[in-house]
Amino acid sequence: MVRKRPKNLNLLTIRLPVPALVSIMHRVSGALLFLSLPLWLLLFWLTVSSEQSYQLAQVFLHSLLVKLLLVLLAWAFFHHACAGIRHLALDAHLGLRLRYARASSMMVLLLTGILLISFTVAIW
Amino acid sequence: MVKAGHGFSDWAWQRISAGLMLIYLIMLTVRVAIDGPQATGDGMLNFADWRAWCQPMWFKLSSLIFAWALIYHAWIGVKEITMDYLHHPVVRERVQRVCAILSWIYAVLILLIVWNT
């Protein structure tokens, strides 16, 4: 007997629970950070290798596009770090109950927001 | 393909590397707070000050360990993501190989950069 199961593939009507949202964003931010590794290597190398390259890095860092990119990557870093610390706590069996898992997910989002706003204000 | 039985060590190393990075980041935050790179003169940080700040041997060594922990952590993450989303074995193998080579290149480059600082 073939059972007809209800299907709902409309992404706009699927509500992702907050812990699931934090989890998938942990992955997305991790992938983004991996892709950004050459940029960090290049930037660090420019700042420490010579006076000229240091100046070049400064010009580079002051451009609008790079600043916007930095804000995106800062989001990825803050989210990944906060969600990662939450994961370590879960591994230690801290906050496993649904209520706490939801609350800590909200805290990750909140803390990431605060850190990101502070970072953005600081670089502008 | 990843051989069976490597799952636990990947899981453990991902957490060990995360812990190392966390310790370094806390240390870095403390250092920036109490002994940040000092700007002399016009208020802008200059090359010599910044480079000098990066030069203590303990700082270079811990930064290198941080960078390597990060690269290894990222590599484990990439492996996990490719195993979940790339179902074609040849495609997955290729993407993993490219990412592995990139990771090695990054690991050597950061060693050279820190060495020459």
Side-chain angles (χ1 to χ4, degrees):
Chain A
M1 190 185 100
V2 181
R3 282 209 295 169
K4 279 239 191 290
R5 292 177 302 166
K7 271 188 192 164
N8 178 14
L9 292 176
N10 184 349
L11 292 177
L12 295 173
T13 63
I14 294 176
R15 267 189 70 237
L16 208 55
V18 184
L21 183 71
V22 167
S23 179
I24 189 63
M25 292 202 308
H26 189 230
R27 241 180 200 202
V28 172
S29 57
L32 216 65
L33 290 169
F34 176 76
L35 293 176
S36 73
L37 284 180
L39 178 70
W40 298 118
L41 274 173
L42 176 69
L43 263 180
F44 182 63
W45 176 65
L46 285 177
T47 64
V48 293
S49 68
S50 74
E51 183 74 54
Q52 288 78 10
S53 63
Y54 181 84
Q55 302 298 337
L56 185 67
Q58 273 203 333
V59 173
F60 190 57
L61 285 171
H62 278 98
S63 70
L64 181 68
L65 209 66
V66 174
K67 276 188 177 178
L68 289 175
L69 185 65
L70 280 186
V71 171
L72 174 71
L73 294 174
W75 167 78
F77 171 74
F78 290 136
H79 182 84
H80 200 84
C82 293
I85 292 168
R86 176 173 174 272
H87 268 285
L88 290 176
L90 291 175
D91 283 341
H93 296 278
L94 293 170
L96 285 183
R97 291 176 59 190
L98 184 59
R99 198 150 45 101
Y100 301 133
R102 275 195 192 132
S104 60
S105 300
M106 293 297 282
M107 254 165 61
V108 166
L109 295 179
L110 190 70
L111 194 60
T112 301
I114 293 171
L115 288 167
L116 188 59
I117 290 169
S118 321
F119 174 82
T120 308
V121 170
I123 65 163
W124 242 282
Chain B
M1 262 311 277
V2 178
K3 288 186 214 82
H6 284 207
F8 176 74
S9 63
D10 274 357
W11 182 90
W13 276 109
Q14 197 166 39
R15 277 136 189 93
I16 292 165
S17 54
L20 284 174
M21 286 190 281
L22 211 53
I23 293 167
Y24 175 84
L25 287 173
I26 291 168
M27 192 206 76
L28 186 68
T29 310
V30 171
R31 185 173 182 219
V32 168
I34 64 177
D35 170 40
Q38 292 294 317
T40 48
D42 58 355
M44 285 289 277
L45 184 66
N46 66 41
F47 172 67
D49 298 330
W50 163 244
R51 198 177 147 104
W53 195 77
C54 296
Q55 269 171 339
M57 190 46 80
W58 67 270
F59 188 66
K60 284 164 77 166
L61 275 178
S62 55
S63 300
L64 195 59
I65 292 170
F66 167 77
W68 282 343
L70 190 153
I71 293 165
Y72 194 58
H73 185 90
W75 160 242
I76 297 171
V78 164
K79 222 161 47 169
E80 248 177 62
I81 290 180
T82 53
M83 282 193 286
D84 280 353
Y85 302 125
L86 300 178
H87 302 304
H88 194 293
V90 177
V91 174
R92 183 176 54 225
E93 186 92 351
R94 286 219 181 125
V95 172
Q96 286 187 351
R97 189 159 304 160
V98 169
C99 291
I101 292 169
L102 282 176
S103 300
W104 274 109
I105 293 173
Y106 299 154
V108 172
L109 281 179
I110 192 65
L111 173 68
L112 291 176
I113 295 169
V114 171
W115 188 275
N116 288 308
T117 298

